[in-house]
Amino acid sequence: MSEKIGFDILEAVLLFILNPVLIVTLIVAVGVGYFRVKQERRSFKVRVLPGITELKKVLAESWPYALVLSILFCGIGLVVEPILLALMSIVMVVTLLSFFYKVASPIYFIAIATIGMFILNKFDNNSITQRWSLGSFDISGDMALTIPIIAGLLLVVEGMLIARHTSKYASPFLVQTNRGMRAASFKVKRLWLLPVVFLIPGDMISNYLPYWPQFTLNESQFSFLPIPLIIGFSQIARATFPDVLMPKVGKAIVWTGVGVIVVGISAIWLPMLGWIALLIGVITRIAISIYTSVHERSGSLIAPPSSASVVIAAVLPGSPGEKMGLQAGEKIRSVNGIQVTNEKELYDAIQVNAAHCRIQVLDRNGEVRLMQQVIYRHDHHRLGLLVVR
């Protein structure tokens, strides 16, 4: 008996690991890191973070959220039809392979999968729907409550991930200005993997794995099913610094999710409100993306070149520049009392007195501040700054 249980657990783990969404996500995360490094080297001849960073962070930042979601989904009793999860997985794989992560919000996956469920139920009465035990797609049934609440919770998690874990990974690159000069912009492209446990009806899993966890409530059987979900995000910051822009975008998405949940709960009394909540979530999420993109394209550049100073495009992690508190967008006016206007003058001035390097910086608010830092021979790129040139 115990040996059979062990094999069932092993088989379930293998099924999760071999899930196409999981495999494709890991491969694509490597690709995202590779293209980021390639872009940074094209602009600055050096990368900011290792190319493996995206792969290392794909699960490290998101698993606590996945744990909380799993507890909420199963604890509240949000029962999900297996075919919805299957359709979501298909949409996620297609989105991953497109590399277009502006549309990698979970609310889009859920909305498209819901439409797919409706179409399958309406036009396929024999094969697919019966195999997945869908039954009839009743727009006034439990799904009118379950789907919007799940979508809203996933939106909240998406917003929190964007607000907390994107700005520090913004990748700098140089763009041409209208005057033919080069200015710094920033690109954020992130993927997160969430291994979420869902509650599904029926005994579909137990038919294949007899000892898979399940329970009976009011003569109905339910099983737990772990599914890898993805959340993707992509945004170019040209008119607003990433550490200012990304928290704003994240908060807007969080509040959108809260609104979807509140309106979705109203489906208890009026089921149609659940679908209205889902539609509101989709429209609002699209509006946030469009507004942010238009604002960033139409606004003035945040890090244009300067003829009287050296403009910082990025600061390498662990460098003396980071220890000094230098930030992207700030301007170095002088080093060791010598005015600098380009990268060569900057590092020539450092050589004058690297042991007690004194720097005059004009911050983002236009205020002057002075700082001093010892620069050692082994320090990467001495100050560790990528500058506009």
Side-chain angles (χ1 to χ4, degrees):
M1 178 72 71
S2 60
E3 183 178 352
K4 176 61 176 173
I5 295 175
F7 276 115
D8 276 356
I9 295 174
L10 178 61
E11 185 176 352
V13 171
L14 289 175
L15 287 174
F16 178 81
I17 293 176
L18 296 177
N19 188 297
V21 175
L22 175 61
I23 296 173
V24 175
T25 300
L26 298 180
I27 295 173
V28 168
V30 175
V32 171
Y34 169 78
F35 288 113
R36 173 185 56 79
V37 170
K38 188 175 180 180
Q39 177 180 263
E40 291 170 353
R41 291 190 185 279
R42 188 184 304 119
S43 294
F44 304 102
K45 304 297 188 294
V46 64
R47 51 87 174 153
V48 178
L49 293 168
I52 201 71
T53 301
E54 281 77 4
L55 178 62
K56 292 169 61 177
K57 299 295 182 180
V58 73
L59 183 61
E61 296 170 343
S62 58
W63 72 263
Y65 298 94
L67 178 61
V68 173
L69 285 176
S70 299
I71 294 173
L72 287 175
F73 291 166
C74 298
I76 298 174
L78 300 175
V79 181
V80 182
E81 294 290 346
I83 193 171
L84 177 71
L85 301 177
L87 292 173
M88 284 178 60
S89 297
I90 294 172
V91 177
M92 285 189 287
V93 170
V94 172
T95 304
L96 283 168
L97 295 176
S98 74
F99 275 83
F100 186 62
Y101 299 147
K102 278 187 175 295
V103 296
S105 173
I107 195 165
Y108 300 150
F109 303 148
I110 292 178
I112 294 172
T114 301
I115 294 172
M117 286 177 60
F118 176 78
I119 294 173
L120 287 175
N121 182 76
K122 189 172 183 64
F123 299 104
D124 187 340
N125 297 318
N126 297 314
S127 58
I128 298 178
T129 53
Q130 287 188 4
R131 179 183 176 185
W132 289 89
S133 303
L134 175 61
S136 60
F137 187 96
D138 185 5
I139 62 173
S140 61
D142 293 339
M143 285 187 290
L145 173 66
T146 299
I147 291 177
I149 291 179
I150 290 177
L153 288 171
L154 287 172
L155 271 178
V156 171
V157 169
E158 178 189 3
M160 294 176 69
L161 287 170
I162 292 172
R164 297 180 180 181
H165 301 293
T166 53
S167 58
K168 59 184 175 182
Y169 299 108
S171 174
F173 65 98
L174 297 177
V175 297
Q176 292 288 121
T177 66
N178 295 331
R179 297 182 178 182
M181 304 179 73
R182 306 179 85 187
S185 293
F186 306 87
K187 184 175 185 178
V188 173
K189 197 164 194 174
R190 296 299 312 277
L191 271 178
W192 295 282
L193 181 70
L194 291 83
V196 179
V197 177
F198 287 93
L199 195 63
I200 64 172
D203 56 357
M204 184 183 73
I205 294 182
S206 62
N207 290 335
Y208 303 97
L209 302 172
Y211 296 99
W212 186 253
Q214 57 181 314
F215 64 94
T216 302
L217 182 64
N218 294 330
E219 299 183 355
S220 298
Q221 287 186 318
F222 301 93
S223 300
F224 298 102
L225 181 63
I227 292 291
L229 300 181
I230 65 161
I231 294 177
F233 179 72
S234 178
Q235 181 62 53
I236 293 178
R238 293 165 49 97
T240 312
F241 288 104
D243 56 344
V244 176
L245 177 64
M246 303 310 164
K248 289 182 178 178
V249 174
K251 289 179 182 178
I253 296 174
V254 168
W255 283 112
T256 301
V258 172
V260 171
I261 293 171
V262 171
V263 178
I265 291 175
S266 303
I268 296 175
W269 302 281
L270 185 60
M272 187 55 64
L273 288 177
W275 305 119
I276 292 175
L278 185 63
L279 180 61
I280 290 174
V282 171
I283 293 175
T284 306
R285 184 64 185 88
I286 292 174
I288 292 172
S289 293
I290 294 176
Y291 174 80
T292 304
S293 297
V294 171
H295 177 269
E296 293 304 305
R297 284 199 299 265
S298 60
S300 57
L301 294 170
I302 49 176
S306 172
S307 59
S309 59
V310 176
V311 181
I312 301 173
V315 182
L316 298 179
S319 65
E322 185 183 56
K323 295 174 184 176
M324 297 169 74
L326 296 175
Q327 291 183 306
E330 294 185 324
K331 301 175 182 179
I332 299 177
R333 301 176 66 177
S334 68
V335 177
N336 293 323
I338 302 173
Q339 184 176 0
V340 295
T341 60
N342 57 52
E343 189 174 20
K344 183 180 184 304
E345 292 178 356
L346 170 66
Y347 287 103
D348 285 344
I350 290 176
Q351 303 304 317
V352 173
N353 190 358
H356 298 284
C357 182
R358 297 181 301 278
I359 299 178
Q360 185 186 74
V361 177
L362 192 67
D363 66 17
R364 296 176 182 176
N365 298 319
E367 298 180 358
V368 177
R369 57 193 178 101
L370 300 174
M371 55 194 65
Q372 182 170 300
Q373 178 71 28
V374 176
I375 310 296
Y376 298 100
R377 290 184 178 273
H378 66 271
D379 283 330
H380 185 55
H381 286 257
R382 292 303 176 94
L383 276 178
L385 302 179
L386 305 185
V387 303
V388 177
R389 45 185 169 177

